Amino acid sequence: MYRKEVVPAMMKRFKYSSVMQVPRLDKISVNSGVGLATQDAKLVESTARDIEAITGQKVVVTRSKKSISNFKLREGMPIGCRVTLRQARMYEFLDRFVSVAVPRIRDFRGLSDKSFDGRGNYTIGIKEHTVFPEIDIDKIARVFGMDVTIVTTAKTDEEAYELLKALGFPFVKRQEVLTAQEA
């Protein structure tokens, strides 16, 4: 789909001279912090197991870099999980994310188009991991959120927006508000 539909549309829209100038997906990073892990270490294991089921790839357990006494945190304690998807797993996850998981988000009205970082990368925060069909709701320890960052080779946010829109991302349709002079 990317080569047959997205590349020709992007070349026409931005007037690229070469196919290699067309932005493409570089990687997808899925990240979840487990703040309650300071009290219960088993929460990190259950979070890691759920993220592995969602992404189909082994997670890396992140550990704290310093001790912070106010948070009851010691250096080296497990406090989160992350996974980086590339190539075929990345596209497979993206397809499942856009076509299955995003429509299952509660009160969903479209993804915000303001979550670009200025360099063509897009980050989405998901409040409940139960939107993914791989998760059995009866067997989860607790509901957690995660960040999904889509890293592209686009130079600007406009190029990245058009790339993700062509890949099927359901962005919010903005309607301009009429001013008093126009009405």
Side-chain angles (χ1 to χ4, degrees), residues 69-88:
S69 63
N70 289 349
F71 298 125
K72 297 185 175 94
L73 187 66
R74 297 286 159 254
E75 187 175 334
M77 282 179 93
I79 54 169
C81 303
R82 67 181 167 93
V83 63
T84 302
L85 304 168
R86 298 177 196 269
Q87 304 290 317

Side-chain angles (χ1 to χ4, degrees), residues 72-138:
K72 297 185 175 94
L73 187 66
R74 297 286 159 254
E75 187 175 334
M77 282 179 93
I79 54 169
C81 303
R82 67 181 167 93
V83 63
T84 302
L85 304 168
R86 298 177 196 269
Q87 304 290 317
R89 279 201 180 115
M90 170 183 67
Y91 283 108
E92 190 264 332
F93 174 79
L94 184 75
D95 182 43
R96 279 188 300 114
F97 180 71
V98 170
S99 59
V100 178
V102 169
R104 292 178 61 172
I105 295 175
R106 194 179 306 156
D107 298 331
F108 181 70
R109 290 190 177 85
L111 297 172
S112 172
D113 58 357
K114 294 184 176 182
S115 295
F116 289 95
D117 68 350
R119 292 193 169 98
N121 304 319
Y122 184 69
T123 302
I124 309 154
I126 299 172
K127 292 188 176 100
E128 295 180 0
H129 75 292
T130 56
V131 296
F132 288 94
E134 295 86 4
I135 301 299
D136 185 11
I137 297 172
D138 299 332

Side-chain angles (χ1 to χ4, degrees), residues 6-175:
V6 176
V7 171
M10 294 283 289
M11 285 190 74
K12 186 176 179 184
R13 166 92 164 78
F14 292 103
K15 297 176 176 58
Y16 294 124
S17 59
S18 171
V19 180
M20 296 305 288
Q21 288 178 307
V22 177
R24 62 187 179 280
L25 295 180
D26 189 29
K27 63 184 174 183
I28 294 178
S29 176
V30 180
N31 175 23
S32 180
V34 187
L36 296 174
T38 56
Q39 281 84 30
D40 187 9
K42 289 185 176 66
L43 286 176
V44 175
E45 294 169 14
S46 67
T47 303
R49 190 173 48 250
D50 287 349
I51 291 179
E52 284 174 6
I54 290 168
T55 59
Q57 186 170 311
K58 185 141 174 62
V59 300
V60 175
V61 175
T62 55
R63 299 185 175 276
S64 62
K65 293 181 181 175
K66 3 164 123 167
S67 298
I68 303 171
S69 63
N70 289 349
F71 298 125
K72 297 185 175 94
L73 187 66
R74 297 286 159 254
E75 187 175 334
M77 282 179 93
I79 54 169
C81 303
R82 67 181 167 93
V83 63
T84 302
L85 304 168
R86 298 177 196 269
Q87 304 290 317
R89 279 201 180 115
M90 170 183 67
Y91 283 108
E92 190 264 332
F93 174 79
L94 184 75
D95 182 43
R96 279 188 300 114
F97 180 71
V98 170
S99 59
V100 178
V102 169
R104 292 178 61 172
I105 295 175
R106 194 179 306 156
D107 298 331
F108 181 70
R109 290 190 177 85
L111 297 172
S112 172
D113 58 357
K114 294 184 176 182
S115 295
F116 289 95
D117 68 350
R119 292 193 169 98
N121 304 319
Y122 184 69
T123 302
I124 309 154
I126 299 172
K127 292 188 176 100
E128 295 180 0
H129 75 292
T130 56
V131 296
F132 288 94
E134 295 86 4
I135 301 299
D136 185 11
I137 297 172
D138 299 332
K139 294 181 181 175
I140 58 172
R142 74 176 189 89
V143 176
F144 60 87
M146 63 176 74
D147 293 327
V148 178
T149 303
I150 292 124
V151 180
T152 66
T153 59
K155 301 279 188 268
T156 64
D157 288 346
E158 184 185 3
E159 292 174 2
Y161 174 79
E162 290 298 325
L163 172 67
L164 294 178
K165 193 169 182 136
L167 287 171
F169 271 68
F171 286 109
V172 174
K173 291 178 178 60
R174 298 218 179 268
Q175 297 176 348

